[in-house]
Amino acid sequence: MKHPSGDVSFRILDAAIKRYQYQQDALIEILHSAQDLFGYLDTNLLLYIAHSLKLPPSRVYGVATFYHLFSMVPKGVHHCVVCTGTACYVKGADALLSTVEQFAHLHAGETTANQQFSISTARCLGTCGLAPIVVIDDRVHGYQTPGLLRDRLRPLSRRIDTEV
């Protein structure tokens, strides 16, 4: 299926779908490909994938919204995820989230106006042995404290302030 917009990203997505031979079981891999190409998964993109794989849109939407790695809104250039699973929560995830929110002057789920930084939370990232953890720009940091997290975020501060 060819997308009417003519956007080359859709041609690349079509190639990924074809590589998985239009298998419905490859939905997660295809959603990853789509997010890599477009930065996030909007409703029209999910409908396109559902139609291409001959899946009900509700199933595609359900999978996309279940996993924290998929985003339905554009993220900032730099992204911080704070795990709020039970192990991380018991070991201070709320203090880490407050630290990040104070750093960026945002709340979880928001992105700076200049699209440079965003914050989100995850119910569990599955690395409870490293609790509490944060993920900054796809890199996992375990055993975090507010002080360690501030040190990790400090280099980003200058970039966020100057890239308005």
Side-chain angles (χ1 to χ4, degrees):
M1 184 172 111
K2 201 170 197 162
H3 194 271
S5 72
D7 185 338
V8 77
S9 296
F10 279 101
R11 278 192 263 154
I12 297 169
L13 178 60
D14 287 340
I17 293 170
K18 187 175 181 178
R19 186 174 54 247
Y20 289 108
Q21 301 174 347
Y22 301 89
Q23 293 179 8
Q24 296 175 343
D25 293 343
L27 176 59
I28 290 175
E29 291 86 353
I30 292 168
L31 288 172
H32 277 293
S33 296
Q35 185 162 284
D36 289 345
L37 287 166
F38 295 93
Y40 69 103
L41 304 171
D42 70 9
T43 303
N44 289 330
L45 184 57
L46 295 178
L47 289 171
Y48 183 79
I49 292 169
H51 182 75
S52 297
L53 296 179
K54 296 181 174 49
L55 284 170
S58 60
R59 181 167 173 203
V60 175
Y61 182 81
V63 170
T65 56
F66 178 80
Y67 294 102
H68 81 278
L69 292 173
F70 297 124
S71 177
M72 303 296 284
V73 295
K75 291 182 180 176
V77 172
H78 302 285
H79 183 232
C80 181
V81 180
V82 178
C83 180
T84 57
T86 303
C88 290
Y89 185 81
V90 168
K91 293 188 174 187
D94 56 339
L96 297 177
L97 183 58
S98 293
T99 299
V100 177
E101 289 177 338
Q102 288 171 0
F103 164 80
H105 306 289
L106 298 172
H107 294 290
E110 295 180 343
T111 301
T112 56
N114 63 5
Q115 301 294 314
Q116 291 299 307
F117 193 80
S118 55
I119 304 170
S120 63
T121 59
R123 286 179 227 135
C124 182
L125 295 173
T127 52
C128 302
L130 301 176
I133 67 166
V134 296
V135 179
I136 301 172
D137 294 339
D138 297 326
R139 186 163 180 198
V140 176
H141 302 279
Y143 309 114
Q144 291 300 289
T145 64
L148 287 172
L149 183 55
R150 272 191 289 276
D151 290 344
R152 291 193 189 288
L153 294 172
R154 194 166 292 125
L156 298 177
S157 175
R158 187 170 161 213
R159 285 185 240 159
I160 292 170
D161 290 341
T162 60
E163 295 175 5
V164 177

